[in-house]
Amino acid sequence: TVRLVPDETYAQDNQWNKIFSSYTDTLGGKAIGKRKTLQVLLDGSAVVSHTNKNFYTLFDSNGKYVKEFSVKQGGKVLKNLTPIKGIINQNTFFTIPDNKGNIQCFDFNGTLVKTLNLNYRVSDMVALNNNKIAVVGTSSQTTKHRFFIALVDFNTNEEKVIWEHFVDRKDLDINFDPNIEFIDNHIIAAFPTLGGIMIFDQNGKLMTNEKISWVKYLSVEEQQSLIRKEIEDLKNNPQQRIDPSIDPQLYKEKVNEWIQKLESKMRQISKPMIEPAFSTILKTSADQLLFFEIPEKVGENRFHVWMYHRDGKFVGKYMFVCDDYDLSITPSKMVFFNGYIYALQNLKNAEGVPLRLVRFRVIGL
């Protein structure tokens, strides 16, 4: 068991209700305030991104609030900023693409350096050490849907596709996007639904392609049973899924259409299917990868974790436990740095805004 213990000396005396006042923000009736992401700089300072806000929040290496800062070009503040995704060249932030495919790149003072552009949907990005960014993208064609990994040159915006996979559009209920990381000058692409790991060098040459050892298969009967349960839940508890803004009669019709699609899908099942092997991956300070299995119960504060060593072997299975916080384990909210885990997490039984910037000591890993 690995226990995450908050470092009580970190981020003291911050006014969280004020700093994270946007925690209660909504957009179109949907909560968006929780969609904050974290980056940790080489000196241990931290930057938090806020959805639908035109600023970022800076904390020093002790977790003390410093300031909010915007991005400027020629003295003008840029609007419609997206969350910071990573750091390239050790001194330049880059954001996730906006709805036009623009990636804003700016220095630690908030001065715009350049804008990159991609003309497809992006699900993951990671900076390499050769002025390139590895990008997981998807695009639609007439009858197929394309999943791919490309290397984007930071200097020229040129792209090089190093892997691609085509799927019939009718099969788009399965997500083939990999999670990617960069470790020891290698790109690691891990596929939850394909149950595999591909390793490329930083120029995109495929080095290895292997299956995850703990992959489980769902039989035809197990798949059908899961769909039957979903249908029964829809029939018995439709009010649990009602959006207050939707007309009840229209919603009822939508539920019936949903049930018909599920019944059709159930009839088409003819072969075993790989169960998603993990929910996310995190890179440790020691350049190892942690593969987090999907919890058996929704909201469960215990996570089974497989450690993947840089030599290509899984070296152990662990359970993450935290008494003080409800863990949300995702690379956007948890960052390993110098033996600690820096994180954006909800404090249990907090008064006011529960979100905290916290530094965990990792006991037992």
Short mmCIF file of all heavy atoms in Angstrom, two decimals, residues 82-138:
data_model
loop_
_atom_site.label_atom_id
_atom_site.label_comp_id
_atom_site.label_asym_id
_atom_site.label_seq_id
_atom_site.Cartn_x
_atom_site.Cartn_y
_atom_site.Cartn_z
N THR A 82 -6.64 28.73 -23.39
CA THR A 82 -6.89 27.34 -23.02
C THR A 82 -5.86 26.92 -21.97
O THR A 82 -4.85 27.59 -21.77
CB THR A 82 -6.79 26.43 -24.25
OG1 THR A 82 -5.53 26.65 -24.91
CG2 THR A 82 -7.92 26.72 -25.23
N PRO A 83 -6.08 25.80 -21.27
CA PRO A 83 -5.15 25.38 -20.22
C PRO A 83 -3.75 25.08 -20.76
O PRO A 83 -3.58 24.63 -21.89
CB PRO A 83 -5.80 24.11 -19.66
CG PRO A 83 -7.26 24.26 -19.97
CD PRO A 83 -7.31 24.97 -21.28
N ILE A 84 -2.76 25.35 -19.91
CA ILE A 84 -1.38 24.99 -20.24
C ILE A 84 -1.27 23.47 -20.25
O ILE A 84 -1.76 22.78 -19.36
CB ILE A 84 -0.41 25.58 -19.19
CG1 ILE A 84 -0.42 27.11 -19.27
CG2 ILE A 84 1.00 25.04 -19.38
CD1 ILE A 84 0.31 27.78 -18.11
N LYS A 85 -0.60 22.93 -21.28
CA LYS A 85 -0.44 21.49 -21.38
C LYS A 85 0.97 21.03 -21.01
O LYS A 85 1.15 19.94 -20.49
CB LYS A 85 -0.77 21.04 -22.81
CG LYS A 85 -0.63 19.53 -23.03
CD LYS A 85 -1.51 18.74 -22.09
CE LYS A 85 -1.36 17.24 -22.29
NZ LYS A 85 -2.10 16.46 -21.30
N GLY A 86 1.98 21.85 -21.29
CA GLY A 86 3.34 21.42 -21.00
C GLY A 86 4.34 22.55 -21.15
O GLY A 86 3.98 23.72 -21.37
N ILE A 87 5.62 22.18 -21.02
CA ILE A 87 6.73 23.14 -21.13
C ILE A 87 7.72 22.60 -22.15
O ILE A 87 8.11 21.44 -22.12
CB ILE A 87 7.44 23.31 -19.77
CG1 ILE A 87 6.45 23.86 -18.73
CG2 ILE A 87 8.63 24.25 -19.89
CD1 ILE A 87 6.99 23.85 -17.32
N ILE A 88 8.12 23.45 -23.10
CA ILE A 88 9.10 23.07 -24.10
C ILE A 88 10.27 24.05 -24.04
O ILE A 88 10.10 25.22 -23.65
CB ILE A 88 8.46 23.04 -25.51
CG1 ILE A 88 9.38 22.33 -26.49
CG2 ILE A 88 8.06 24.42 -25.99
CD1 ILE A 88 8.72 21.94 -27.81
N ASN A 89 11.44 23.58 -24.39
CA ASN A 89 12.67 24.40 -24.34
C ASN A 89 12.98 24.90 -22.92
O ASN A 89 13.73 25.86 -22.75
CB ASN A 89 12.57 25.61 -25.27
CG ASN A 89 12.55 25.22 -26.74
OD1 ASN A 89 12.95 24.12 -27.09
ND2 ASN A 89 12.07 26.10 -27.58
N GLN A 90 12.38 24.26 -21.93
CA GLN A 90 12.60 24.55 -20.51
C GLN A 90 12.07 25.92 -20.07
O GLN A 90 12.04 26.20 -18.88
CB GLN A 90 14.08 24.44 -20.14
CG GLN A 90 14.65 23.05 -20.31
CD GLN A 90 16.05 22.92 -19.73
OE1 GLN A 90 16.69 23.90 -19.38
NE2 GLN A 90 16.53 21.69 -19.63
N ASN A 91 11.64 26.75 -20.99
CA ASN A 91 11.21 28.09 -20.58
C ASN A 91 9.99 28.60 -21.34
O ASN A 91 9.69 29.79 -21.33
CB ASN A 91 12.36 29.09 -20.76
CG ASN A 91 12.82 29.20 -22.21
OD1 ASN A 91 12.26 28.56 -23.09
ND2 ASN A 91 13.85 29.98 -22.44
N THR A 92 9.25 27.69 -22.00
CA THR A 92 8.09 28.12 -22.79
C THR A 92 6.90 27.21 -22.52
O THR A 92 6.99 25.99 -22.72
CB THR A 92 8.41 28.10 -24.29
OG1 THR A 92 9.56 28.91 -24.55
CG2 THR A 92 7.23 28.64 -25.10
N PHE A 93 5.81 27.79 -22.04
CA PHE A 93 4.57 27.03 -21.89
C PHE A 93 3.93 26.82 -23.26
O PHE A 93 4.06 27.66 -24.15
CB PHE A 93 3.57 27.80 -21.02
CG PHE A 93 3.95 27.94 -19.58
CD1 PHE A 93 4.11 29.19 -19.01
CD2 PHE A 93 4.09 26.82 -18.77
CE1 PHE A 93 4.43 29.33 -17.67
CE2 PHE A 93 4.42 26.95 -17.43
CZ PHE A 93 4.59 28.21 -16.88
N PHE A 94 3.21 25.71 -23.42
CA PHE A 94 2.32 25.58 -24.57
C PHE A 94 0.98 25.06 -24.08
O PHE A 94 0.89 24.28 -23.14
CB PHE A 94 2.91 24.68 -25.67
CG PHE A 94 3.14 23.24 -25.28
CD1 PHE A 94 2.16 22.28 -25.47
CD2 PHE A 94 4.36 22.85 -24.73
CE1 PHE A 94 2.38 20.95 -25.12
CE2 PHE A 94 4.59 21.53 -24.38
CZ PHE A 94 3.60 20.57 -24.58
N THR A 95 -0.09 25.54 -24.72
CA THR A 95 -1.45 25.22 -24.30
C THR A 95 -2.04 24.10 -25.13
O THR A 95 -1.52 23.75 -26.19
CB THR A 95 -2.36 26.46 -24.43
OG1 THR A 95 -2.49 26.79 -25.83
CG2 THR A 95 -1.78 27.65 -23.68
N ILE A 96 -3.16 23.55 -24.67
CA ILE A 96 -3.92 22.64 -25.52
C ILE A 96 -4.54 23.47 -26.64
O ILE A 96 -4.77 24.68 -26.48
CB ILE A 96 -5.00 21.88 -24.74
CG1 ILE A 96 -6.05 22.84 -24.17
CG2 ILE A 96 -4.38 21.06 -23.62
CD1 ILE A 96 -7.22 22.16 -23.53
N PRO A 97 -4.82 22.87 -27.80
CA PRO A 97 -5.39 23.66 -28.91
C PRO A 97 -6.77 24.22 -28.55
O PRO A 97 -7.55 23.57 -27.86
CB PRO A 97 -5.49 22.64 -30.05
CG PRO A 97 -4.53 21.55 -29.69
CD PRO A 97 -4.55 21.48 -28.20
N ASP A 98 -7.06 25.43 -29.05
CA ASP A 98 -8.41 25.97 -28.88
C ASP A 98 -9.30 25.40 -29.98
O ASP A 98 -8.90 24.52 -30.75
CB ASP A 98 -8.39 27.49 -28.88
CG ASP A 98 -7.86 28.09 -30.18
OD1 ASP A 98 -7.82 27.38 -31.21
OD2 ASP A 98 -7.47 29.27 -30.18
N ASN A 99 -10.53 25.91 -30.10
CA ASN A 99 -11.46 25.33 -31.08
C ASN A 99 -11.09 25.65 -32.53
O ASN A 99 -11.73 25.15 -33.46
CB ASN A 99 -12.90 25.79 -30.79
CG ASN A 99 -13.04 27.30 -30.76
OD1 ASN A 99 -12.14 28.04 -31.17
ND2 ASN A 99 -14.19 27.77 -30.28
N LYS A 100 -10.06 26.46 -32.72
CA LYS A 100 -9.53 26.70 -34.07
C LYS A 100 -8.21 25.98 -34.30
O LYS A 100 -7.58 26.16 -35.35
CB LYS A 100 -9.35 28.20 -34.29
CG LYS A 100 -10.66 28.99 -34.26
CD LYS A 100 -10.40 30.48 -34.51
CE LYS A 100 -11.71 31.26 -34.48
NZ LYS A 100 -11.48 32.72 -34.71
N GLY A 101 -7.78 25.20 -33.32
CA GLY A 101 -6.53 24.45 -33.46
C GLY A 101 -5.29 25.24 -33.09
O GLY A 101 -4.17 24.76 -33.31
N ASN A 102 -5.46 26.42 -32.51
CA ASN A 102 -4.31 27.25 -32.15
C ASN A 102 -3.72 26.84 -30.81
O ASN A 102 -4.45 26.67 -29.82
CB ASN A 102 -4.71 28.72 -32.08
CG ASN A 102 -5.07 29.28 -33.45
OD1 ASN A 102 -4.43 28.95 -34.44
ND2 ASN A 102 -6.09 30.12 -33.51
N ILE A 103 -2.40 26.69 -30.76
CA ILE A 103 -1.66 26.40 -29.55
C ILE A 103 -0.82 27.62 -29.22
O ILE A 103 0.07 28.00 -29.99
CB ILE A 103 -0.74 25.17 -29.75
CG1 ILE A 103 -1.56 23.93 -30.12
CG2 ILE A 103 0.10 24.91 -28.51
CD1 ILE A 103 -0.70 22.76 -30.57
N GLN A 104 -1.11 28.26 -28.09
CA GLN A 104 -0.36 29.45 -27.71
C GLN A 104 0.90 29.04 -26.94
O GLN A 104 0.83 28.22 -26.02
CB GLN A 104 -1.22 30.38 -26.84
CG GLN A 104 -2.58 30.72 -27.43
CD GLN A 104 -2.49 31.48 -28.74
OE1 GLN A 104 -1.44 31.96 -29.14
NE2 GLN A 104 -3.63 31.61 -29.42
N CYS A 105 2.03 29.61 -27.34
CA CYS A 105 3.31 29.33 -26.69
C CYS A 105 3.84 30.64 -26.10
O CYS A 105 4.01 31.62 -26.83
CB CYS A 105 4.31 28.76 -27.69
SG CYS A 105 3.70 27.31 -28.61
N PHE A 106 4.09 30.66 -24.79
CA PHE A 106 4.50 31.91 -24.15
C PHE A 106 5.50 31.63 -23.03
O PHE A 106 5.55 30.52 -22.48
CB PHE A 106 3.30 32.67 -23.60
CG PHE A 106 2.34 31.85 -22.77
CD1 PHE A 106 2.48 31.77 -21.39
CD2 PHE A 106 1.31 31.16 -23.36
CE1 PHE A 106 1.61 31.02 -20.62
CE2 PHE A 106 0.42 30.40 -22.61
CZ PHE A 106 0.58 30.32 -21.23
N ASP A 107 6.32 32.64 -22.72
CA ASP A 107 7.35 32.45 -21.71
C ASP A 107 6.76 32.58 -20.31
O ASP A 107 5.57 32.83 -20.12
CB ASP A 107 8.52 33.42 -21.92
CG ASP A 107 8.15 34.88 -21.75
OD1 ASP A 107 7.14 35.17 -21.06
OD2 ASP A 107 8.87 35.74 -22.28
N PHE A 108 7.61 32.39 -19.29
CA PHE A 108 7.13 32.37 -17.91
C PHE A 108 6.67 33.73 -17.43
O PHE A 108 6.07 33.84 -16.36
CB PHE A 108 8.21 31.81 -16.99
CG PHE A 108 8.54 30.36 -17.24
CD1 PHE A 108 9.68 29.81 -16.69
CD2 PHE A 108 7.72 29.55 -18.00
CE1 PHE A 108 10.00 28.47 -16.90
CE2 PHE A 108 8.02 28.22 -18.22
CZ PHE A 108 9.16 27.67 -17.67
N ASN A 109 6.93 34.77 -18.19
CA ASN A 109 6.44 36.11 -17.86
C ASN A 109 5.09 36.41 -18.52
O ASN A 109 4.53 37.49 -18.32
CB ASN A 109 7.46 37.17 -18.27
CG ASN A 109 8.75 37.07 -17.49
OD1 ASN A 109 8.74 36.89 -16.27
ND2 ASN A 109 9.87 37.16 -18.19
N GLY A 110 4.60 35.47 -19.34
CA GLY A 110 3.33 35.67 -20.02
C GLY A 110 3.42 36.36 -21.35
O GLY A 110 2.40 36.77 -21.92
N THR A 111 4.64 36.47 -21.91
CA THR A 111 4.81 37.10 -23.23
C THR A 111 4.68 36.04 -24.32
O THR A 111 5.38 35.02 -24.29
CB THR A 111 6.18 37.78 -23.34
OG1 THR A 111 6.29 38.77 -22.32
CG2 THR A 111 6.34 38.44 -24.70
N LEU A 112 3.77 36.28 -25.29
CA LEU A 112 3.57 35.31 -26.36
C LEU A 112 4.83 35.15 -27.19
O LEU A 112 5.43 36.14 -27.64
CB LEU A 112 2.41 35.76 -27.26
CG LEU A 112 1.99 34.75 -28.34
CD1 LEU A 112 1.30 33.55 -27.71
CD2 LEU A 112 1.08 35.40 -29.36
N VAL A 113 5.25 33.90 -27.39
CA VAL A 113 6.44 33.59 -28.20
C VAL A 113 6.03 33.27 -29.62
O VAL A 113 6.60 33.77 -30.58
CB VAL A 113 7.23 32.42 -27.58
CG1 VAL A 113 8.39 32.01 -28.47
CG2 VAL A 113 7.73 32.79 -26.18
N LYS A 114 5.01 32.43 -29.77
CA LYS A 114 4.52 32.07 -31.10
C LYS A 114 3.21 31.31 -30.95
O LYS A 114 2.81 30.92 -29.83
CB LYS A 114 5.56 31.21 -31.85
CG LYS A 114 5.77 29.83 -31.27
CD LYS A 114 6.92 29.08 -31.94
CE LYS A 114 6.83 29.15 -33.44
NZ LYS A 114 7.97 28.52 -34.11
N THR A 115 2.56 31.06 -32.08
CA THR A 115 1.33 30.26 -32.11
C THR A 115 1.52 29.12 -33.11
O THR A 115 1.89 29.35 -34.26
CB THR A 115 0.13 31.12 -32.54
OG1 THR A 115 -0.07 32.17 -31.60
CG2 THR A 115 -1.14 30.27 -32.60
N LEU A 116 1.28 27.90 -32.66
CA LEU A 116 1.25 26.74 -33.55
C LEU A 116 -0.20 26.44 -33.90
O LEU A 116 -1.12 26.84 -33.17
CB LEU A 116 1.88 25.52 -32.87
CG LEU A 116 3.33 25.66 -32.39
CD1 LEU A 116 3.76 24.42 -31.61
CD2 LEU A 116 4.27 25.91 -33.57
N ASN A 117 -0.42 25.72 -34.99
CA ASN A 117 -1.80 25.40 -35.39
C ASN A 117 -1.89 23.96 -35.86
O ASN A 117 -1.04 23.49 -36.62
CB ASN A 117 -2.28 26.34 -36.50
CG ASN A 117 -3.74 26.09 -36.85
OD1 ASN A 117 -4.04 25.31 -37.74
ND2 ASN A 117 -4.64 26.70 -36.10
N LEU A 118 -2.93 23.27 -35.39
CA LEU A 118 -3.23 21.90 -35.81
C LEU A 118 -4.68 21.86 -36.29
O LEU A 118 -5.55 22.48 -35.67
CB LEU A 118 -3.04 20.91 -34.65
CG LEU A 118 -1.67 20.93 -33.97
CD1 LEU A 118 -1.66 19.97 -32.78
CD2 LEU A 118 -0.57 20.56 -34.95
N ASN A 119 -4.95 21.12 -37.35
CA ASN A 119 -6.29 21.11 -37.93
C ASN A 119 -7.03 19.80 -37.63
O ASN A 119 -7.73 19.26 -38.48
CB ASN A 119 -6.23 21.34 -39.45
CG ASN A 119 -5.45 20.27 -40.18
OD1 ASN A 119 -4.86 19.39 -39.56
ND2 ASN A 119 -5.45 20.33 -41.50
N TYR A 120 -6.89 19.31 -36.40
CA TYR A 120 -7.58 18.09 -35.99
C TYR A 120 -7.74 18.12 -34.47
O TYR A 120 -7.13 18.93 -33.76
CB TYR A 120 -6.81 16.84 -36.41
CG TYR A 120 -5.32 16.90 -36.13
CD1 TYR A 120 -4.80 16.62 -34.86
CD2 TYR A 120 -4.41 17.26 -37.14
CE1 TYR A 120 -3.44 16.69 -34.61
CE2 TYR A 120 -3.04 17.32 -36.89
CZ TYR A 120 -2.57 17.03 -35.62
OH TYR A 120 -1.22 17.10 -35.37
N ARG A 121 -8.59 17.20 -33.97
CA ARG A 121 -8.81 17.13 -32.53
C ARG A 121 -7.61 16.49 -31.86
O ARG A 121 -7.05 15.51 -32.35
CB ARG A 121 -10.07 16.31 -32.22
CG ARG A 121 -10.42 16.27 -30.72
CD ARG A 121 -11.59 15.35 -30.44
NE ARG A 121 -11.24 13.95 -30.60
CZ ARG A 121 -10.64 13.22 -29.66
NH1 ARG A 121 -10.30 13.76 -28.50
NH2 ARG A 121 -10.37 11.94 -29.88
N VAL A 122 -7.21 17.02 -30.72
CA VAL A 122 -6.05 16.51 -29.97
C VAL A 122 -6.51 16.00 -28.61
O VAL A 122 -7.25 16.69 -27.90
CB VAL A 122 -5.00 17.62 -29.78
CG1 VAL A 122 -3.90 17.17 -28.83
CG2 VAL A 122 -4.41 18.01 -31.13
N SER A 123 -6.08 14.79 -28.24
CA SER A 123 -6.46 14.23 -26.94
C SER A 123 -5.30 14.19 -25.96
O SER A 123 -5.52 14.11 -24.75
CB SER A 123 -7.01 12.81 -27.11
OG SER A 123 -6.02 11.93 -27.62
N ASP A 124 -4.06 14.25 -26.45
CA ASP A 124 -2.92 14.23 -25.54
C ASP A 124 -1.71 14.84 -26.23
O ASP A 124 -1.60 14.79 -27.47
CB ASP A 124 -2.60 12.79 -25.10
CG ASP A 124 -1.85 12.73 -23.76
OD1 ASP A 124 -1.59 13.80 -23.18
OD2 ASP A 124 -1.55 11.61 -23.30
N MET A 125 -0.81 15.43 -25.44
CA MET A 125 0.41 16.06 -25.97
C MET A 125 1.50 15.91 -24.93
O MET A 125 1.24 15.93 -23.73
CB MET A 125 0.18 17.55 -26.25
CG MET A 125 -1.00 17.87 -27.13
SD MET A 125 -1.40 19.66 -27.09
CE MET A 125 -0.04 20.34 -28.02
N VAL A 126 2.75 15.78 -25.41
CA VAL A 126 3.88 15.77 -24.48
C VAL A 126 5.09 16.37 -25.19
O VAL A 126 5.33 16.11 -26.37
CB VAL A 126 4.18 14.33 -23.97
CG1 VAL A 126 4.62 13.41 -25.10
CG2 VAL A 126 5.22 14.35 -22.87
N ALA A 127 5.86 17.19 -24.47
CA ALA A 127 7.05 17.82 -25.04
C ALA A 127 8.21 16.84 -25.04
O ALA A 127 8.42 16.09 -24.08
CB ALA A 127 7.42 19.06 -24.23
N LEU A 128 8.97 16.83 -26.14
CA LEU A 128 10.20 16.04 -26.23
C LEU A 128 11.37 16.99 -25.95
O LEU A 128 11.18 18.17 -25.66
CB LEU A 128 10.31 15.41 -27.61
CG LEU A 128 9.04 14.70 -28.14
CD1 LEU A 128 9.33 14.04 -29.48
CD2 LEU A 128 8.52 13.69 -27.14
N ASN A 129 12.60 16.48 -26.04
CA ASN A 129 13.75 17.36 -25.77
C ASN A 129 14.48 17.76 -27.04
O ASN A 129 15.64 18.18 -26.98
CB ASN A 129 14.71 16.70 -24.77
CG ASN A 129 15.28 15.39 -25.28
OD1 ASN A 129 15.11 15.04 -26.45
ND2 ASN A 129 15.95 14.65 -24.41
N ASN A 130 13.81 17.63 -28.19
CA ASN A 130 14.44 18.01 -29.46
C ASN A 130 13.60 19.05 -30.20
O ASN A 130 13.50 19.04 -31.43
CB ASN A 130 14.64 16.77 -30.34
CG ASN A 130 13.34 16.03 -30.63
OD1 ASN A 130 12.29 16.41 -30.13
ND2 ASN A 130 13.41 14.98 -31.44
N ASN A 131 12.96 19.95 -29.43
CA ASN A 131 12.12 21.01 -30.00
C ASN A 131 10.90 20.47 -30.74
O ASN A 131 10.41 21.09 -31.69
CB ASN A 131 12.92 21.92 -30.93
CG ASN A 131 13.89 22.80 -30.19
OD1 ASN A 131 13.62 23.20 -29.06
ND2 ASN A 131 15.02 23.09 -30.81
N LYS A 132 10.41 19.31 -30.31
CA LYS A 132 9.20 18.73 -30.91
C LYS A 132 8.20 18.40 -29.81
O LYS A 132 8.56 18.20 -28.64
CB LYS A 132 9.54 17.50 -31.73
CG LYS A 132 10.32 17.80 -33.02
CD LYS A 132 10.55 16.53 -33.82
CE LYS A 132 11.20 16.84 -35.18
NZ LYS A 132 12.51 17.48 -35.05
N ILE A 133 6.94 18.33 -30.22
CA ILE A 133 5.85 17.95 -29.33
C ILE A 133 5.17 16.73 -29.94
O ILE A 133 4.76 16.77 -31.11
CB ILE A 133 4.83 19.09 -29.16
CG1 ILE A 133 5.51 20.34 -28.60
CG2 ILE A 133 3.69 18.66 -28.25
CD1 ILE A 133 4.61 21.57 -28.59
N ALA A 134 5.06 15.64 -29.18
CA ALA A 134 4.32 14.47 -29.64
C ALA A 134 2.84 14.71 -29.36
O ALA A 134 2.46 15.10 -28.25
CB ALA A 134 4.81 13.21 -28.94
N VAL A 135 2.00 14.47 -30.37
CA VAL A 135 0.58 14.80 -30.30
C VAL A 135 -0.25 13.58 -30.67
O VAL A 135 0.05 12.90 -31.66
CB VAL A 135 0.24 15.96 -31.26
CG1 VAL A 135 -1.25 16.21 -31.30
CG2 VAL A 135 0.98 17.22 -30.85
N VAL A 136 -1.28 13.29 -29.88
CA VAL A 136 -2.26 12.26 -30.23
C VAL A 136 -3.45 12.96 -30.87
O VAL A 136 -4.08 13.82 -30.24
CB VAL A 136 -2.72 11.48 -28.99
CG1 VAL A 136 -3.79 10.45 -29.37
CG2 VAL A 136 -1.53 10.78 -28.33
N GLY A 137 -3.74 12.62 -32.13
CA GLY A 137 -4.80 13.30 -32.85
C GLY A 137 -5.82 12.34 -33.44
O GLY A 137 -5.55 11.14 -33.60
N THR A 138 -6.98 12.87 -33.79
CA THR A 138 -8.01 12.10 -34.50
C THR A 138 -8.63 13.00 -35.56
O THR A 138 -8.73 14.22 -35.40
CB THR A 138 -9.13 11.62 -33.56
OG1 THR A 138 -9.76 12.74 -32.95
CG2 THR A 138 -8.59 10.70 -32.49
#
